[in-house]
Amino acid sequence: MSGPQVLPDDLVSAAIRVRENAHAPYSRFKVGAAILGESGRVFLGANVENAAYPQGHCAEASAIGAMIAAGDRRIRAVAVVGGEAGGDLCTPCGGCRQRIREFAADDVPIHIGDAGGLRRTFTLGELLPYSFGPTNLSF
């Protein structure tokens, strides 16, 4: 990677900022995500709710879509921010853990924050142990 290093606090700060753009009129629970792609670029996403509930998008899914649309295919790090400072951790839901797995290795860091900043870091393998992914389908 060329250019400046992207630190965990940088990713969390980006997720905090994009969280404000979330469309969450039903749950009122805004989530922001920032993904560091293989190119060194950061891709952002916010949750987008829909009156037909299954049609909404999680912040992580939105950020992954932006990454793919820009041409990156591998995730180097993720930050997810939801909730107020000091509340429960807002880790990726099960579906988003699997979405992240499609583009990330077990050792990819997942930084969890809230309105106050970085709270904890997990690896994808910690959040989704013994996962099923692209390597299971290798020919």
Side-chain angles (χ1 to χ4, degrees):
M1 172 187 135
S2 61
Q5 182 180 3
V6 178
L7 301 173
D9 286 333
D10 299 330
L11 282 178
V12 170
S13 293
I16 288 170
R17 287 190 305 275
V18 75
R19 177 179 176 255
E20 292 309 311
N21 296 332
H23 177 73
Y26 308 108
S27 71
R28 292 182 170 64
F29 191 83
K30 294 182 173 188
V31 180
I35 290 178
L36 176 62
E38 64 195 335
S39 67
R41 293 177 292 176
V42 175
F43 304 95
L44 304 177
N47 59 319
V48 180
E49 295 178 351
N50 190 288
Y53 291 124
Q55 301 306 313
H57 291 275
C58 293
E60 300 90 328
S62 296
I64 289 169
M67 180 189 81
I68 295 301
D72 276 20
R73 293 292 183 263
R74 298 299 300 161
I75 294 173
R76 293 176 38 199
V78 177
V80 178
V81 171
E84 299 306 316
D88 290 339
L89 293 178
C90 177
T91 61
C93 71
C96 284
R97 292 174 193 203
Q98 187 63 45
R99 286 180 182 93
I100 293 166
R101 172 64 180 90
E102 184 71 16
F103 303 101
D106 282 344
D107 63 347
V108 164
I110 311 291
H111 307 294
I112 306 301
D114 60 24
L118 177 62
R119 296 267 311 274
R120 184 161 175 195
T121 298
F122 299 91
T123 65
L124 178 59
E126 289 174 312
L127 292 177
L128 191 65
Y130 306 104
S131 65
F132 183 87
T135 57
N136 295 100
L137 300 175
S138 294
F139 296 99

